[in-house]
Amino acid sequence: MKTSQMRTSQRPPWMEAPTKAGLAIKGVVIAIVCLLVLYPFVNIVATSLAGESEITRRGGIIPLFPSEPTLAAYRTIFAGGVVSHALLVSAGITIIGTALNLVVTIALAYGLSRPIVGGRFVLTAVLFTMLFGAGIIPNFLLIKALGLYDSYASLIVPGLVSAFNFLVLRNFFQNIPAELLDSARIDGAGDLAILIRIVLPLSKAVLAVVALFYAVGHWNAFFNALLYLSDTGKWPLPLVLRLYVLQGQPVGGATESPGEAVASIQAVQMAVVVVALVPILCVYPFLQRYFTKGVLTGAIKG
Amino acid sequence: MHRVSRSSGRAPDSGDRAARRAARRAQAGPSLGARLRRDRVMLLLVLPGFLFFVVFHYVPLLGNVIVFQDYQPYLGFKDSPWVGLGNFSVFAEPDFYRALLNTLKFAVLQLVLFFPAPIGLALLLNSIISPKIKRFVQSVVYLPHFIGWVILISISQQLIGGTGLLPQLLGELGLPRVDLMTSSGFFPWLVTLQLIWKDAGWGTIIYLAALLNIDTEHYEAAAIDGADRWRRLWHVTLPGIVPVTLLLLILNLGSILSVGFEQILLQRDAVGADAAEVLDTYVYFHGVLDGQWGPAAAVGLVKGVIGLVLILGANKLAHRFGHEGIYSR
């Protein structure tokens, strides 16, 4: 039924021809899986673009696309200012955070990709953290003790290096042919020059993947923000999203009588969801090919 | 995973490891000072990351001393009174039992329903012959992994919540309009279904890699011996993914008591604490919000220790049955 030969688009000679019924069932199952994943996105975009009257008329269901699309919901959320500010905070955290993540993780992974004094000890210390964490309360007390509470840094520093991403990078660095590094060394390049001129240019794909992991983590960061930020003025997008959509707070500017305005509130809520989704949906198509081509698998198996 | 805590001679040496070993032998020569000088750039590069792990992963371990204290934030670690094992009386309280039972309920459901989902999906993906279609479907099913919980739950609110798509459709069909987002009885299933939507596709990556590693000759030989596609699935494909399945199972056991913390916390208001209190939310609400620092930290610590014991125990068991487990590869 399944073999790696399937990738070459032709059936190996020993394999029986698929039955029509079998193919049909498989096709239907695959189509359903894809629809189950994709349809929710279609629905929320459609709802966010629908006008109040249409939502009321159709009882909240905009199956595919509104008949009179309007950007009213988006105007509402950006008029309030809260969403725009949260968007800025999230973007800032994501950009600065990811840059710091990458610098420190690359340095650590490269440093430990070769046998160095004490390397094994550091590696063991890092890997053990994957098995045992201190827990919510000690982490919270540490952030307070370090004076990071209620600062943007509390959203970045506690997750500076992820042990998993570190492993992915280190594994990749280790598999770079030693001859390449040796020839550079013979030409007089130091460890840092080798990292910058040889290792990093060879690692673009895996760096893109790790950057995506970090960036998505920052963009979606919810619990750390809830735990470490008491000042609502510093809230990133996920907390604002929870406030408006899950806790049903009306977005500034929307009417507050739930009886009449349910429909338009629904569009506004979905508009906030779309705003939170757009960056992910924009970046994903450029990076998904790395996942289907297996940049990660070597590292995961490593 | 790479060898976590020890190496064993059992696994055959990869070239990579042989090279490292040779390098280690070679470096036995120079003195420590010479090696430090030789590695100084590398050591400097390692330093920030190492300090991060010490400060943010190992120092907090010490913070767990508060499980033996009646911790008061204004008194701090030094001056808060010691209470011995007093905080552990929390383990006799009904609130804790409610959280524990819920956690186990979620954990079992996830193990039974979520864990096998990527295996089934990977088998399906692997059976797609056209590489173009296969890659497209892969791209689609990986996507939800990148959707954060807040967004995901907002989406499910829109689709199956009280004013959402599903109740409307049911209403038009003349059926009762159920609100699955606020039903406490459905909540464990809701959580599991959301998890499957988010991560079943992503979970296929590692199984697909294992499936690609199965030698095609096994299939060919089985086919020549007259095995049909189902028997090849049973006798060639499934044995080929047993090691990676065990590996993931062991890793899962370590975090089994951490059943979807953010996901459950976000929906706790909608279904109530009776249905949605798990160990992590218990720690958050009793500790951080209610200020019962000591008892809540005790719950968190015991949970962490159980996770560690489970992962190491399961690994030992895997070794006993002749599998590799998470280390000593």
Side-chain angles (χ1 to χ4, degrees):
Chain A
M1 184 172 172
K2 302 96 208 195
T3 85
S4 53
Q5 294 245 318
M6 297 278 193
R7 284 174 312 151
T8 58
S9 96
Q10 66 196 36
R11 192 157 44 81
W14 47 265
M15 189 188 285
E16 53 281 73
T19 61
K20 277 211 172 111
L23 273 183
I25 294 174
K26 212 162 77 181
V28 169
V29 173
I30 290 166
I32 291 177
V33 168
C34 289
L35 271 182
L36 279 177
V37 173
L38 294 179
Y39 179 70
F41 298 107
V42 176
N43 184 274
I44 55 164
V45 173
T47 308
S48 76
L49 291 171
E52 185 170 359
S53 59
E54 187 175 3
I55 290 187
T56 316
R57 194 177 68 240
R58 297 168 76 164
I61 309 182
I62 313 294
L64 285 176
F65 201 74
S67 50
E68 301 131 26
T70 160
L71 291 174
Y74 293 90
R75 275 194 289 275
T76 308
I77 60 174
F78 287 113
V82 177
V83 173
S84 330
H85 186 257
L87 207 54
L88 272 182
V89 171
S90 275
I93 298 289
T94 302
I95 292 167
I96 298 171
T98 306
L100 289 173
N101 289 142
L102 283 178
V103 169
V104 181
T105 311
I106 288 170
L108 185 67
Y110 175 67
L112 293 181
S113 68
R114 294 215 308 264
I116 60 167
V117 185
R120 186 131 292 272
F121 168 73
V122 177
L123 181 67
T124 308
V126 171
L127 293 183
F128 180 71
T129 64
M130 294 178 93
L131 300 184
F132 188 78
I136 296 168
I137 290 181
N139 284 326
F140 179 79
L141 296 177
L142 175 74
I143 293 296
K144 281 235 158 175
L146 293 176
L148 294 176
Y149 187 74
D150 234 352
S151 73
Y152 289 127
S154 72
L155 301 186
I156 294 176
V157 186
L160 197 57
V161 181
S162 120
F164 176 80
N165 288 340
F166 155 77
L167 269 187
V168 171
L169 278 188
R170 175 175 175 270
N171 189 71
F172 189 88
F173 292 163
Q174 280 186 326
N175 287 333
I176 292 176
E179 300 83 43
L180 275 176
L181 311 182
D182 289 343
S183 62
R185 198 164 296 123
I186 291 165
D187 291 344
D191 288 325
L192 202 56
I194 291 176
L195 172 66
I196 292 167
R197 278 194 239 130
I198 309 221
V199 173
L200 291 185
L202 285 171
S203 313
K204 277 181 198 142
V206 72
L207 288 175
V209 168
V210 167
L212 176 73
F213 286 164
Y214 277 129
V216 167
H218 288 302
W219 185 256
N220 288 328
F222 164 70
F223 184 61
N224 274 5
L226 182 71
L227 196 56
Y228 300 143
L229 296 181
S230 67
D231 177 1
T232 56
K234 292 191 169 123
W235 273 8
L237 199 53
L239 282 178
V240 170
L241 188 62
R242 176 177 86 132
L243 183 71
Y244 287 155
V245 182
L246 298 180
Q247 300 181 327
Q249 278 268 326
V251 178
T255 64
E256 284 190 52
S257 54
E260 289 166 29
V262 170
S264 95
I265 283 178
Q266 207 168 352
V268 168
Q269 289 179 338
M270 287 310 110
V272 185
V273 175
V274 172
V275 165
L277 264 177
V278 160
I280 297 172
L281 296 184
C282 286
V283 175
Y284 180 72
F286 296 101
L287 292 168
Q288 51 83 16
R289 64 197 167 100
Y290 295 129
F291 305 129
T292 57
K293 274 195 296 189
V295 168
L296 278 177
T297 46
I300 297 175
K301 280 189 304 168
Chain B
M1 300 297 122
H2 258 281
R3 293 167 295 162
V4 171
S5 57
R6 67 200 157 108
S7 61
S8 96
R10 257 176 292 165
D13 264 352
S14 59
D16 166 49
R17 190 179 311 165
R20 248 185 291 159
R21 195 163 297 162
R24 218 176 298 148
R25 253 199 307 276
Q27 75 185 217
S31 68
L32 183 67
R35 284 156 66 197
L36 283 174
R37 218 168 313 124
R38 184 199 64 194
D39 293 339
R40 65 186 187 282
V41 175
M42 299 298 257
L43 288 169
L44 273 177
L45 288 172
V46 166
L47 191 63
F50 178 62
L51 284 180
F52 162 76
F53 277 98
V54 170
V55 174
F56 286 91
H57 287 269
Y58 285 94
V59 171
L61 290 181
L62 303 178
N64 274 314
V65 295
I66 71 164
V67 305
F68 305 113
Q69 286 185 325
D70 177 16
Y71 180 78
Q72 304 293 337
Y74 56 89
L75 292 176
F77 296 110
K78 267 204 328 230
D79 301 323
S80 291
W82 294 90
V83 293
L85 293 176
N87 287 328
F88 286 80
S89 64
V90 69
F91 292 107
E93 282 173 19
D95 270 12
F96 166 76
Y97 271 99
R98 181 178 67 178
L100 180 66
L101 281 178
N102 278 333
T103 305
L104 293 176
K105 198 194 293 176
F106 289 115
V108 169
L109 263 185
Q110 291 181 9
L111 210 55
V112 174
L113 295 179
F114 170 68
F115 185 77
I119 303 178
L121 194 54
L123 292 175
L124 182 70
L125 284 170
N126 198 52
S127 77
I128 300 177
I129 294 181
S130 153
K132 257 192 192 154
I133 299 181
K134 181 177 170 187
R135 227 170 282 149
F136 172 78
V137 180
Q138 276 179 284
S139 307
V140 169
V141 297
Y142 295 163
L143 171 64
H145 174 72
F146 298 96
I147 309 299
W149 280 115
V150 185
I151 300 178
L152 197 156
I153 291 162
S154 304
I155 295 175
S156 46
Q157 175 96 6
Q158 162 76 6
L159 290 175
I160 61 175
T163 55
L165 189 66
L166 181 72
Q168 303 278 7
L169 286 177
L170 289 177
E172 277 175 25
L173 294 172
L175 297 167
R177 297 167 170 243
V178 287
D179 180 355
L180 296 177
M181 295 290 287
T182 54
S183 151
S184 57
F186 186 70
F187 188 62
W189 303 93
L190 176 71
V191 166
T192 312
L193 288 175
Q194 286 170 335
L195 189 63
I196 290 176
W197 190 80
K198 184 169 163 40
D199 276 333
W202 184 250
T204 61
I205 288 187
I206 189 160
Y207 291 106
L208 285 172
L211 287 170
L212 284 182
N213 279 338
I214 299 176
D215 194 339
T216 333
E217 282 176 20
H218 294 318
Y219 286 104
E220 199 170 346
I224 289 167
D225 287 348
D228 64 13
R229 59 185 67 221
W230 299 110
R231 300 191 69 167
R232 291 202 300 272
L233 174 70
W234 183 253
H235 291 292
V236 182
T237 309
L238 291 182
I241 56 175
V242 163
V244 76
T245 309
L246 271 180
L247 173 83
L248 291 179
L249 196 59
I250 294 170
L251 287 175
N252 259 16
L253 280 179
S255 55
I256 198 158
L257 296 181
S258 305
V259 284
F261 172 50
E262 280 194 5
Q263 180 193 9
I264 291 169
L265 179 67
L266 280 162
Q267 301 182 91
R268 189 173 172 273
D269 289 348
V271 293
D274 273 338
E277 190 82 294
V278 290
L279 291 177
D280 278 336
T281 57
Y282 178 94
V283 173
Y284 175 64
F285 282 98
H286 285 71
V288 180
L289 296 188
D290 287 352
Q292 301 169 39
W293 299 96
V299 172
L301 180 64
V302 168
K303 180 189 149 262
V305 171
I306 291 176
L308 183 65
V309 169
L310 278 177
I311 208 168
L312 296 180
N315 199 52
K316 203 150 238 168
L317 209 62
H319 282 164
R320 183 152 304 165
F321 285 105
H323 289 284
E324 282 181 354
I326 50 168
Y327 46 73
S328 73
R329 285 176 67 97

